[in-house]
Amino acid sequence: MSHPAAGELFDLHADGEPPADPFVLAGQWLPADDDPDRPRVTLATTGEDGSPNARTVLLSAFDESGFAFHTASTSRKVAELAADPRAGMVLLWPDHSRQLLVRGDVVPDGADQLAAAWAARSAYLRRLARCNTDELARLPLAERRAGWTATADQPPGQAASWVGYRLQPREITFWAAAPDTASRRLQYTRDGDGWRWSHRAG
Ligand SMILES: Cc1cc2nc3c(=O)[nH]c(=O)nc-3n(C[C@H](O)[C@H](O)[C@H](O)COP(=O)(O)O)c2cc1C
């Protein structure tokens, strides 16, 4: 997957018009999909009891189809997204001076997207995806170690539980600190086929 026209990094504190398309700006901020240093993302969902829930996931990929993350079909987030496919994401990237916030709806990945994300995961993370179950978590340590060791002999194919989603934004907000003035946000909201933007206090 390639990022939308990356180009030179737009300075959020500069005067003048920001890019009309927030995907262009997000493409400038985020690492390429084949960069092994993946952004750690706080993913917020609505819990099945109606209260908020959140956890960390890796941003697997990003392009105009959305912000992708991958997980186990048996996980709580998957049940929550089945009941309510809205989600929020917070990406603190690449350090504490920049933050990207996304709100929108998730759509499940297709087979090709799942295969690409699986191929991009490290050997360690593929092993984890194969054996990271509640059943294993409940076992004594010696049995959990044996379960982990057993994954080394398994075929390299996708874990049966491997699923992924794209968060398709309705709103994208870029936040940037500055050494000599207040932090500032640039908020994009979907407006028909395009976007409208506004500056907001940090
Ligand atoms: C740095 C970090 C990265 C993580 N990345 C993922 C990930 O990409 N996918 C995933 O399913 N869980 C990931 N986890 C584990 C989740 O935070 C979480 O514990 C797990 O997905 C179960 O969440 P759930 O019960 O809310 O579904 C990560 C945890 C950490 C600390």
Side-chain angles (χ1 to χ4, degrees):
M1 264 181 263
S2 63
H3 284 177
E8 197 177 321
L9 180 66
F10 172 76
D11 177 1
L12 210 75
H13 288 275
D15 294 329
E17 294 261 319
D21 182 353
F23 284 95
V24 170
L25 189 46
Q28 293 173 1
W29 277 32
L30 296 172
D33 292 349
D34 58 3
D35 187 330
D37 189 14
R38 304 312 307 158
R40 266 88 47 199
V41 174
T42 303
L43 172 72
T45 48
T46 303
E48 289 183 290
D49 60 359
S51 67
N53 197 7
R55 78 290 287 157
T56 310
V57 291
L58 300 178
L59 182 72
S60 308
F62 157 75
D63 65 12
E64 272 146 1
S65 67
F67 295 77
F69 58 93
H70 291 82
T71 189
S73 57
T74 49
S75 67
R76 183 148 85 157
K77 68 182 86 52
V78 169
E80 291 173 351
L81 290 169
D84 183 344
R86 295 174 301 170
M89 268 187 183
V90 181
L91 296 94
L92 201 55
W93 182 266
D95 54 34
H96 293 178
S97 67
R98 291 213 306 253
Q99 178 185 209
L100 175 54
L101 308 132
V102 186
R103 299 173 71 217
D105 305 290
V106 299
V107 293
D109 260 5
D112 290 351
Q113 293 166 318
L114 284 177
W118 181 260
R121 281 286 208 257
S122 67
Y124 168 81
L125 290 176
R126 280 186 229 152
R127 255 176 105 173
L128 198 57
R130 280 199 205 97
C131 78
N132 200 14
T133 63
D134 286 339
E135 290 70 31
L136 187 88
R138 290 187 198 112
L139 296 175
L141 177 58
E143 288 173 55
R144 282 185 284 123
R145 283 183 170 147
W148 175 258
T149 303
T151 59
D153 302 326
Q154 287 178 358
Q158 265 178 51
S161 64
W162 183 244
V163 291
Y165 297 86
R166 313 260 135 176
L167 176 58
Q168 298 185 330
R170 279 181 277 107
E171 184 183 279
I172 307 185
T173 306
F174 299 84
W175 179 101
D180 52 0
T181 184
S183 54
R184 187 190 210 194
R185 284 181 292 170
L186 171 61
Q187 188 163 83
Y188 291 86
T189 310
R190 276 234 189 256
D191 188 10
D193 289 340
W195 297 87
R196 74 190 134 75
W197 59 265
S198 63
H199 283 124
R200 306 197 59 187

